[in-house]
Amino acid sequence: MAEPGVPHTDWHGFGFATRQVHAGEQEDLTHGSRITPVHLSAAYRFASFQEATDRFAGADLGHLYSRNANPTNQVAERRLASLEGGSGAMVVGSGQAAITVSLLALAGSGEHIVSTASIYSGTRVLFDRTFARMGVTVEYVWDPTDEAEWDALIRPETKAIFTETLPNPKNDIVDIPAVARIAKRHGIPLVVDNTIATPFLVRPIEQGADIVVHSATKFLSGHGANLAGAVVDGGTFDWAASDRPYPALTDTPIAAHASFVEAFGPRAFELSLRFGIANDTGPALSPLNGFLLQQGMETLSVRMRQHLASARTIAEWLEQHDAVESVDYAGLPWHPQHHLAVRDYGGLSGSVFSFTVRGGRDGAERFFDALRLFSRMTNIGDTRSMALHPATTTHIGFTQETRDRLGISDGLVRLSIGLEDAEDLIADLDQALRAAV
């Protein structure tokens, strides 16, 4: 039986803005409502004994329980899969949940993941604390351009490579096609966090990634009111042909039934999450949050243009300020990854970046406390602009040696540029910088 909720229109071939508004939606034949209803139902009725059996066995992908799939959330899933160019997607309760279920579906106790070192601090904490307690080891590549460093860390029990398109907070762009070639050479799936870039700027699957994750709390939802995560299956990795075992996908989950790879082909990873680890661990997304996510995606391109334009203007202005030591924004010509910013992002390397205030921690503290328009808070991708001091917040638990290697200095301040007028944001930064020196 076909999966319910599949849209009547194939949106392939339509433009990005059209798909962000329409892809994944299903006509409401009951009431004719134009906006997707919020389906507040924990579970769904079965038409017959056989239908109940088929849904539990995976022979029928109809609705079973909202821990697996919810009609509201499925609109957001299909929309994001369309925007990223994936075979399917699954939404979960947060970005951390998206990373967790994706990687733990690939690696278990005694196995290994290789990641770039410059990634979101919460992801490193997840890897070094919780994954370590579960017996999954994560090792870090400090120079992603050094193939020898990758080769030295990858071993037979390595089950995934993880990286980010635009690392937070340093904006040090990763060459995704180059990392994808390394992953392919070793026969390992590449998992890419595309939270900051979003599919508006770059689509990692087109660059060779196999799986994309998002903290959909951020730019995809866009208004700071929602908590959500998402996993997009690229449908590109040949799980059955891999020399490394991926039992969650290739083993038969139910006796006398097909494996996920055999039954679902390019959607195998997505559906192994939906009926495997995500089902078992339960990081379900509320349909209210799924509704907010799909609403946010409808305006993604419009918001991103403003975020990106203002970020570039502000980064260029900061570079000229006497109270600023340096600006970590790859769109600036002197930046070591500027060529990647031009090649892959049109020179617009996101709207989350850092700069270093003169005067070290004391200067950063004076600057931080003087801000009036920027919100002092730990989020990114909001309509509001935000500032944070990583060394004493997101990276406070890191050793000094690790902070030094990551470039998290005492004067470093992270900005997330919102949708306010750039002139007003610059005025706020200017008065705060004058208070810092």
Side-chain angles (χ1 to χ4, degrees):
M1 184 180 294
E3 180 181 3
V6 173
H8 297 294
T9 302
D10 179 3
W11 294 100
H12 181 73
F14 284 81
F16 188 94
T18 300
R19 286 182 289 123
Q20 75 183 10
V21 173
H22 293 286
E25 64 187 7
Q26 183 181 16
E27 185 179 0
D28 177 9
L29 298 177
T30 303
H31 301 291
S33 61
R34 187 62 189 86
I35 305 301
T36 298
V38 179
H39 292 272
L40 291 172
S41 183
Y44 308 89
R45 290 182 294 185
F46 305 123
S48 66
F49 183 97
Q50 187 60 50
E51 185 174 79
T53 301
D54 289 344
R55 289 189 182 176
F56 270 88
D60 180 343
L61 295 179
H63 295 112
L64 172 66
Y65 199 69
S66 279
R67 191 172 65 204
N68 309 117
N70 174 277
T72 304
N73 292 349
Q74 285 179 299
V75 176
E77 290 168 346
R78 292 191 295 265
R79 186 164 297 169
L80 181 56
S82 175
L83 297 180
E84 284 283 11
S87 59
M90 183 178 187
V91 293
V92 288
S94 70
Q96 290 290 86
I99 294 168
T100 300
V101 298
S102 295
L103 293 178
L104 293 185
L106 303 175
S109 180
E111 295 179 325
H112 180 247
I113 295 165
V114 176
S115 171
T116 47
S118 181
I119 55 175
Y120 166 56
S121 59
T123 305
R124 281 195 65 131
V125 171
L126 169 67
F127 290 167
D128 297 345
R129 182 170 62 195
T130 302
F131 275 31
R133 291 185 62 189
M134 301 176 74
V136 177
T137 304
V138 181
E139 290 187 283
Y140 299 100
V141 169
W142 289 91
D143 181 3
T145 67
D146 185 353
E147 289 202 23
E149 189 177 353
W150 286 102
D151 291 343
L153 291 181
I154 294 171
R155 49 187 196 248
E157 61 269 29
T158 304
K159 304 300 288 293
I161 290 176
F162 179 85
T163 192
E164 297 178 2
T165 46
L166 293 175
N168 167 18
K170 293 289 288 182
N171 204 249
D172 42 344
I173 296 176
V174 175
D175 188 339
I176 300 299
V179 178
R181 287 192 292 272
I182 294 167
K184 184 176 288 291
R185 177 159 53 82
H186 286 277
I188 303 169
L190 173 59
V191 182
V192 176
D193 187 330
N194 198 31
T195 296
I196 292 177
T198 80
F200 175 76
L201 261 185
V202 68
R203 289 168 290 281
I205 294 166
E206 294 176 0
Q207 297 187 329
D210 300 293
I211 297 158
V212 172
V213 295
H214 282 271
S215 175
T217 304
K218 313 302 194 299
F219 293 97
L220 293 180
S221 294
H223 296 80
N226 190 28
L227 199 66
V231 183
V232 182
D233 183 357
T236 54
F237 193 81
D238 192 342
W239 305 101
S242 175
D243 293 335
R244 300 164 195 264
Y246 293 99
L249 289 107
T250 58
D251 286 3
T252 301
I254 303 172
H257 286 74
S259 70
F260 285 105
V261 169
E262 293 167 334
F264 302 114
R267 291 184 63 191
F269 185 75
E270 171 221 336
L271 291 164
S272 75
L273 296 184
R274 193 178 298 281
F275 297 106
I277 190 168
N279 175 76
D280 298 346
T281 57
L285 182 68
S286 161
L288 288 171
N289 295 72
F291 178 82
L292 290 173
L293 172 57
Q294 60 177 277
Q295 288 265 294
M297 281 191 285
E298 290 182 2
T299 60
L300 178 62
S301 63
V302 179
R303 289 184 288 104
M304 287 299 292
R305 288 189 183 96
Q306 179 71 17
H307 284 301
L308 297 168
S310 293
R312 183 170 191 167
T313 298
I314 291 167
E316 291 172 345
W317 177 85
L318 284 167
E319 188 183 29
Q320 304 301 318
H321 202 287
D322 291 341
V324 174
E325 287 186 4
S326 61
V327 181
D328 298 308
Y329 178 77
L332 296 173
W334 59 264
H335 194 281
Q337 282 87 43
H338 180 66
H339 65 290
L340 295 177
V342 172
R343 187 191 75 184
D344 295 336
Y345 300 91
L348 299 170
S349 57
S351 59
V352 178
F353 63 94
S354 299
F355 72 98
T356 301
V357 181
R358 296 192 188 279
R361 175 170 171 166
D362 290 342
E365 184 173 354
R366 289 191 294 270
F367 165 82
F368 195 73
D369 288 345
L371 290 169
R372 298 169 184 165
L373 183 56
F374 277 79
S375 298
R376 295 179 287 269
M377 59 187 294
T378 179
N379 192 24
I380 58 174
D382 198 334
T383 56
R384 288 150 284 272
S385 293
M386 295 165 283
L388 198 68
H389 184 246
T392 57
T393 57
T394 55
H395 292 71
I396 193 170
F398 289 33
T399 65
Q400 187 63 53
E401 178 185 2
T402 300
R403 286 202 297 269
D404 289 345
R405 292 193 74 181
L406 290 171
I408 309 298
S409 67
D410 287 342
L412 190 80
V413 175
R414 183 189 76 187
L415 300 179
S416 176
I417 305 302
L419 301 183
E420 304 94 339
D421 289 314
E423 296 79 6
D424 294 330
L425 295 173
I426 287 172
D428 190 35
L429 292 170
D430 188 43
Q431 64 83 25
L433 285 167
R434 284 188 277 107
V437 296

